[in-house]
Amino acid sequence: MSLEFSRRIDVALNDSELRENFRGAMDFLQDKRAQAFPDEKAWQSMQQQGAQLRHEALDRLPELLETLEQNCINNGIQVHWAQDADEANELIVSIANQHKASRFVKGKSMASEEIAMNEHLTHHGIECIESDMGEYIVQLAEETPSHIIMPAIHKNKEQIARLFSDKLNEHCDPNDVDQLIGIGRNILRQKFRDADIGVSGVNFAAADTGTLCLVENEGNGRFSTTAPPVHIALMGIDKVIPNLRALPTLLRLLTRSATGQKITSYINLISSPRKTLEKDGPQEVHLILLDNGRSRIGQDPDLNTTLACIRCGAC
């Protein structure tokens, strides 16, 4: 362990405000999850069903990815393969250059964090604005997400009010959460209008229909994927599932485990770019299938179960 990392650990552990923020937020989340699964046997059964679906998909990964690719192409989606983070970032910049794009808006995506996409775009003179409210707060603070589901879980409302005041020149009442959210939303709405390209992650992709599934609670993911003329979906190859029939079980498991909700606010199923006579949606959809070590992990008997993870954050 580096001396710098050890120093940062000591600073964080001795920050009483930070510890209080985490404790309050985690207690709240854990309580909601417990309420979502009052029946322990039913919870275990759902976990087993989800794990079985994920492992069956991983056992057929090469076949399902080829099927997904072909059906996406048949639907009009342009499919790209990226061996690692560098290839993925090069593909994204290449698509931006094709469209002379300088403004991106991005829905929540852990895969984009994995490849440091924002930093790469900034290096090429391209603005990329986070549209998930938690991610937007973290971006304004020039920090990285601290939680897979709630990126700004380490900040309280007083800290967010100060951040908005400093960075956005807005007078903020820390006791008025609706005002804080409203300030962020007003700024982001203009970003959705101005963006040349929208970027998203992918929660699951159904191979049989070439359908990309995005799960979210704020509507920002839907704006990011429909308002700009081009949509880039960045997906780890482990996210493929055989068919849409597998989706309900995985969604029930994901949303209840993540936030204690029976169902999330928005479930977006994307199968193609805008069709003739449709009034909204992107003119182009690009799917980037990211390996970045996943194939190697899949061959390791000690690590391959990690690919079954659905990123619910319950752990």
Side-chain angles (χ1 to χ4, degrees):
M1 185 184 298
S2 72
L3 290 175
E4 172 59 18
F5 189 48
S6 296
R7 185 195 66 78
R8 288 165 56 197
I9 290 173
D10 288 338
V11 170
L13 289 176
N14 287 291
D15 186 334
S16 59
E17 186 176 35
L18 180 64
R19 293 179 64 162
E20 185 178 343
N21 293 347
F22 271 115
R23 184 70 276 156
M26 293 309 299
D27 286 347
F28 172 75
L29 269 182
Q30 289 169 357
D31 181 59
K32 288 193 70 176
R33 287 170 181 148
Q35 292 179 43
F37 296 108
D39 187 329
E40 183 68 21
K41 288 185 178 179
W43 158 232
Q44 292 177 351
S45 175
M46 190 182 298
Q47 275 189 312
Q48 291 169 1
Q49 291 175 40
Q52 182 177 351
L53 286 169
R54 293 297 296 120
H55 285 293
E56 287 175 354
L58 293 171
D59 287 344
R60 301 170 54 198
L61 191 58
E63 167 206 341
L64 291 179
L65 287 171
E66 289 180 4
T67 301
L68 174 67
E69 177 187 32
Q70 189 56 59
N71 284 324
C72 283
I73 292 171
N74 293 344
N75 293 342
I77 295 174
Q78 300 179 49
V79 181
H80 314 267
W81 297 81
Q83 184 66 31
D84 54 26
D86 289 341
E87 283 191 13
N89 280 320
E90 287 169 9
L91 280 166
I92 293 166
V93 170
S94 174
I95 295 167
N97 290 338
Q98 290 170 26
H99 294 275
K100 297 180 172 59
S102 61
R103 293 165 298 191
F104 279 41
V105 64
K106 180 167 77 67
K108 192 170 184 298
S109 164
M110 288 295 98
S112 70
E113 291 288 340
E114 177 184 334
I115 66 171
M117 186 193 81
N118 289 11
E119 292 85 344
H120 191 81
L121 290 175
T122 299
H123 179 72
H124 284 80
I126 299 171
E127 177 190 55
C128 185
I129 297 294
E130 297 285 353
S131 65
D132 173 270
M133 189 57 64
E135 295 278 359
Y136 180 61
I137 289 167
V138 167
Q139 186 178 40
L140 278 180
E142 300 180 7
E143 298 172 356
T144 52
S146 58
H147 189 275
I148 197 167
I149 299 298
M150 303 178 75
I153 199 171
H154 59 293
K155 291 191 177 296
N156 58 39
K157 58 188 180 182
E158 289 80 15
Q159 291 171 320
I160 294 169
R162 288 197 298 271
L163 179 68
F164 280 13
S165 177
D166 293 341
K167 296 287 187 176
L168 305 176
N169 294 319
E170 295 278 357
H171 173 69
C172 304
D173 178 359
N175 295 312
D176 189 344
V177 176
D178 289 340
Q179 181 204 31
L180 293 174
I181 297 298
I183 289 169
R185 283 179 175 168
N186 286 336
I187 292 171
L188 289 173
R189 283 193 182 108
Q190 190 60 46
K191 296 296 183 181
F192 291 130
R193 295 189 187 100
D194 295 341
D196 304 306
I197 293 179
V199 180
S200 76
V202 178
N203 289 96
F204 305 104
D208 65 334
T209 57
T211 301
L212 312 179
C213 176
L214 279 69
V215 180
E216 43 126 357
N217 273 321
E218 299 175 15
N220 63 295
R222 187 165 291 184
F223 270 125
S224 298
T225 59
T226 57
V230 178
H231 169 209
I232 299 174
L234 181 63
M235 169 188 150
I237 58 173
D238 52 304
K239 295 297 189 73
V240 68
I241 57 176
N243 48 56
L244 287 173
R245 291 192 304 276
L247 198 54
T249 296
L250 294 171
L251 289 180
R252 282 196 294 269
L253 192 61
L254 173 62
T255 57
R256 295 181 191 207
S257 300
T259 55
Q261 296 170 270
K262 288 187 177 179
I263 191 167
T264 193
S265 300
Y266 297 93
I267 297 173
N268 308 297
L269 299 177
I270 299 170
S271 295
S272 73
R274 183 191 305 188
K275 296 179 181 177
T276 306
L277 302 181
E278 288 185 338
K279 295 184 177 181
D280 61 8
Q283 297 161 11
E284 289 184 18
V285 177
H286 295 261
L287 172 63
I288 297 178
L289 294 168
L290 175 68
D291 189 320
N292 208 31
R294 288 166 174 79
S295 294
R296 175 178 51 78
I297 290 171
Q299 300 302 313
D300 189 318
D302 295 323
L303 297 177
N304 59 18
T305 56
T306 62
L307 295 181
C309 174
I310 60 172
R311 314 297 196 276
C312 70
C315 60

